[in-house]
Amino acid sequence: GIVASEFLIKNPLLLKKFAPDELTLLDLNASKLHAPAFFAQIGDICQLKFLNLYDANFRASDYPVLSKLKELRYLNLAWTEVDCKQLLKYISPEHIQSLDVSGANDVGDLLRDIHKFPRLQQLIMFRCHLHNNDIARLKDTKLRSLCLMWNSSLDDRAVESLSEIKTLIRLNLSCCRVSPQSWRS
């Protein structure tokens, strides 16, 4: 894998030095550079399985490259102004095992199509303005880890819905309106 430096991002042709199946992990290291040429070049790394775009300057106009990455297992788009409706047009959800869309405002679109992610084990939706009825859509998933921090509208009813996910091992509800009485669920 590679943690991309600013030099690499500014010189995307350096990625051609790698065979298409040589890299499986790419981390943009929260780069603030907007580099459409770099993102276009990522599409040639056909075996990429881990893509960390956390807090990077990755925009909806860059999403088409994701349609070339059919082997992605881990996708972190936290704090990239995620547009879930657009995102769903480009990713291959059948392989995704871990997805972070923290900071997204339109996760309802993602949750409506959560059934398209049969292998999803970890979902992170930190500060996504979620409501209890959004959480009910997760009941048929096979999630093992779920982070819902700072979704202040979530309360004990969300916990009750989550209790239907029998595979859930880790749950983070920090800074939600969950009471001590939710332990029953």
Side-chain angles (χ1 to χ4, degrees):
I2 280 187
V3 176
S5 66
E6 211 171 280
F7 183 80
L8 177 62
I9 294 169
K10 288 179 180 177
N11 297 281
L13 292 178
L14 291 173
L15 287 175
K16 287 191 175 283
K17 302 280 184 185
F18 296 96
D21 61 348
E22 197 168 4
L23 290 176
T24 59
L25 181 144
L26 181 61
D27 182 341
L28 258 68
N29 201 23
S31 172
K32 295 302 180 202
L33 294 175
H34 185 239
F38 181 79
F39 295 129
Q41 200 64 49
I42 291 173
D44 292 339
I45 308 172
C46 61
Q47 293 299 310
L48 199 62
K49 290 178 177 41
F50 304 90
L51 182 57
N52 187 358
L53 298 165
Y54 172 85
D55 202 24
N57 195 346
F58 186 74
R59 303 174 183 173
S61 59
D62 300 314
Y63 287 4
V65 73
L66 297 173
S67 64
K68 296 180 179 181
L69 304 175
K70 304 288 187 196
E71 298 298 319
L72 275 182
R73 305 289 190 269
Y74 171 92
L75 179 59
N76 187 337
L77 292 162
W79 312 112
T80 61
E81 299 180 20
V82 183
D83 181 334
C84 290
K85 189 173 188 174
Q86 290 300 313
L87 177 66
L88 287 166
K89 294 177 184 177
Y90 296 104
I91 60 174
S92 298
E94 61 276 358
H95 296 298
I96 302 284
Q97 295 173 6
S98 178
L99 180 63
D100 188 340
V101 292
S102 295
N105 289 320
D106 62 344
V107 291
D109 292 313
L110 175 72
L111 293 175
R112 271 189 289 283
D113 285 336
I114 201 72
H115 64 278
K116 294 180 180 177
F117 294 80
R119 295 185 179 160
L120 190 64
Q121 293 182 24
Q122 176 174 283
L123 181 58
I124 303 170
M125 295 185 292
F126 182 106
R127 195 173 273 159
C128 287
H129 311 287
L130 291 166
H131 300 281
N132 291 327
N133 58 341
D134 295 320
I135 299 307
R137 294 187 173 130
L138 295 172
K139 69 180 179 181
D140 295 324
T141 65
K142 292 186 170 88
L143 288 172
R144 295 174 57 81
S145 178
L146 180 60
C147 177
L148 300 171
M149 290 176 59
W150 287 98
N151 285 288
S152 58
S153 294
L154 298 182
D155 59 26
D156 293 351
R157 289 175 292 165
V159 177
E160 192 173 318
S161 292
L162 293 171
S163 70
E164 295 185 41
I165 306 174
K166 302 304 179 199
T167 53
L168 201 57
I169 295 170
R170 269 180 243 103
L171 176 61
N172 189 338
L173 292 166
S174 301
C175 301
C176 295
R177 290 186 358 214
V178 176
S179 77
Q181 302 309 315
S182 68
W183 72 268
R184 291 184 177 104
S185 295

